[in-house]
Amino acid sequence: MGKMRKQRFVYKGSVSDDSLLIGSHGDAVLSVEGTFNLSGIIYCPKYTVTITIKGNGKIALRGKCNKVIIKRMNGKCTLDLSEVTCRELRCECIGGQSTVFTGKTRLISQANLTDDAELHVTTRRLITNSFISGSSRIVRRASDIVID
């Protein structure tokens, strides 16, 4: 059996799509740039999803994943992972007025926030290696709050 190739999902410009599907076919890379409104399903229980976002808009995902890596997130954007179950979440660089809502995550292994960025986590999540600068913050919220 050969090496699995990464799935690549690239969105540029003004994009609106409610049918994003990241399946269990290996690691996946999601790159979004511009003005966007995306939502969809992740089902990668053994694989990693890497996300890069630059621009304005909202991305809402639901499903299951082994590891989610947010490489870079900049602009006035929201990433809603409140309905995603994963073993590990790693936020390498979140800046601008970006907001991330986490779901059922066992470990947040890295949380680097700059400018006005916010990371909303449910109560009692283990966060290791966090760096916060500017007026960014990590907000703990009750797990039963519904996000619009």
Side-chain angles (χ1 to χ4, degrees):
M1 188 164 165
K3 184 178 176 184
M4 286 242 183
R5 291 181 14 185
K6 286 187 177 180
Q7 301 176 75
R8 297 197 185 277
F9 300 90
V10 179
Y11 293 93
K12 289 189 177 183
S14 181
V15 179
S16 181
D17 187 5
D18 293 328
S19 60
L20 180 63
L21 176 62
I22 302 174
S24 187
H25 303 289
D27 292 343
V29 176
L30 174 63
S31 297
V32 180
E33 187 174 332
T35 304
F36 50 86
N37 188 5
L38 302 171
S39 65
I41 298 172
I42 293 178
Y43 185 73
C44 299
K46 296 181 181 178
Y47 300 106
T48 300
V49 175
T50 304
I51 301 172
T52 304
I53 302 170
K54 182 178 180 182
N56 301 326
K58 181 178 180 178
I59 299 175
L61 300 171
R62 63 186 180 280
K64 184 176 183 176
C65 185
N66 182 39
K67 183 191 286 188
V68 175
I69 300 172
I70 303 171
K71 279 286 204 195
R72 179 172 294 277
M73 189 169 168
N74 204 347
K76 189 175 182 179
C77 51
T78 302
L79 177 61
D80 186 358
L81 301 174
S82 61
E83 295 183 43
V84 175
T85 301
C86 64
R87 232 179 72 207
E88 180 182 348
L89 173 67
R90 188 166 78 204
C91 306
E92 293 183 357
C93 182
I94 300 177
Q97 294 178 339
S98 303
T99 304
V100 177
F101 294 96
T102 65
K104 188 175 178 184
T105 303
R106 187 180 299 172
L107 168 69
I108 300 174
S109 63
Q110 186 176 358
N112 295 338
L113 307 173
T114 60
D115 302 327
D116 294 326
E118 291 185 356
L119 177 64
H120 293 257
V121 297
T122 56
T123 56
R124 293 179 288 174
R125 293 291 163 228
L126 178 62
I127 301 173
T128 62
N129 194 16
S130 64
F131 174 77
I132 300 171
S133 67
S135 59
S136 59
R137 61 191 181 137
I138 296 176
V139 179
R140 296 202 184 269
R141 60 180 170 80
S143 60
D144 59 343
I145 294 175
V146 178
I147 301 164
D148 294 344

